[in-house]
Amino acid sequence: MSAPFGKWLIVATIAAILAIPAFFFAARAITAWRQGYDWAEMDWDDKGHTSMTDFLRAADVGKRPVDVNGQSCVEYFIYRDGITVKIVCPQRRS
């Protein structure tokens, strides 16, 4: 094996190894972005800010209308098992 071929093989191997997680991250980010949520809406834990983890988690979160005590609200749920992530109701005016 010649030296240039050996270097090329190492570079190609490293590139292939890095391409797999890069592809997964890119696919996940595109799926999350296509959900159509606002950045503030993706604060799934209600901690006051949206992190990159919250953004990527949006790929697994659906949204549906629910009725809570006679008030129309929005429920965010996990697609896989339907578990509620959070429920957001409009503020009532006093």
Side-chain angles (χ1 to χ4, degrees), residues 13-85:
T13 303
I14 291 171
I17 291 170
L18 294 177
I20 294 168
F23 175 77
F24 175 78
F25 179 80
R28 187 94 172 150
I30 290 168
T31 303
W33 175 67
R34 293 188 71 194
Q35 289 290 77
Y37 297 130
D38 290 333
W39 191 254
E41 193 175 12
M42 290 185 278
D43 180 14
W44 307 123
D45 303 330
D46 290 326
K47 59 188 172 294
H49 67 279
T50 300
S51 66
M52 186 57 69
T53 305
D54 289 332
F55 169 70
L56 294 174
R57 192 171 164 204
D60 295 329
V61 177
K63 175 173 156 174
R64 62 183 164 213
V66 292
D67 184 50
V68 177
N69 298 327
Q71 185 178 14
S72 277
C73 301
V74 176
E75 177 186 28
Y76 297 90
F77 65 98
I78 306 272
Y79 283 127
R80 179 181 61 241
D81 49 19
I83 293 175
T84 300
V85 176

Side-chain angles (χ1 to χ4, degrees), residues 1-23:
M1 178 167 26
S2 66
F5 179 74
K7 288 181 182 178
W8 180 86
L9 184 60
I10 291 170
V11 169
T13 303
I14 291 171
I17 291 170
L18 294 177
I20 294 168
F23 175 77

